[in-house]
Amino acid sequence: MPKITVLPHPELAPDGAVIDAPQKTSICDALLLNKIDIEHACGQVGACSTCHVIVVQGFDTLNELGDNEEDMLDQAWGLQPHSRLSCQARVALEDLTVELPRYTLNHAKE
């Protein structure tokens, strides 16, 4: 089973984490199931950018980036070349390493 290594994040994963993630599971679901409470304001339908992650390792193994996801990523804080919406990115057979950005932009709250 693939593993997701989560780099340390001051609030969500202070010590980082290594979690098992079944193939085809979204990164968001894998994080939430392992008590890493990543924000997902739209209910994981790809309509916001609050679940944005940076895929440090394994980016090329994820499912293809869709047009809607690409549009939503434009609104993400700290966008990087290997950014994905964790609700849309599906785990394949390879291990991943992800970084959780320090901030999110939740337009519904702001």
Side-chain angles (χ1 to χ4, degrees):
M1 180 177 303
K3 296 192 179 305
I4 299 175
T5 300
V6 181
L7 298 179
H9 181 279
E11 287 108 29
L12 301 177
D15 297 323
V18 178
I19 60 175
D20 291 323
Q23 185 181 5
K24 298 185 181 178
T25 301
S26 73
I27 293 172
C28 188
D29 281 339
L31 296 175
L32 292 171
L33 287 170
N34 287 276
K35 302 193 183 350
I36 298 173
D37 194 22
I38 188 167
E39 191 169 356
H40 53 288
C42 71
Q44 300 188 53
V45 297
C48 72
S49 64
T50 59
C51 71
H52 165 234
V53 296
I54 300 160
V55 183
V56 177
Q57 178 185 342
F59 181 84
D60 293 334
T61 68
L62 298 170
N63 59 308
E64 190 173 321
L65 184 80
D67 291 339
N68 186 56
E69 181 181 1
E70 195 169 353
D71 291 343
M72 288 295 107
L73 278 170
D74 286 341
Q75 300 176 27
W77 183 89
L79 186 65
Q80 299 291 317
H82 289 138
S83 289
R84 290 294 303 262
L85 297 182
S86 66
C87 70
Q88 301 299 302
R90 303 276 173 198
V91 176
L93 295 172
E94 302 293 322
D95 293 346
L96 302 172
T97 300
V98 298
E99 179 182 351
L100 307 175
R102 183 172 291 267
Y103 305 105
T104 62
L105 295 177
N106 185 340
H107 296 287
K109 283 185 180 178
E110 297 177 25

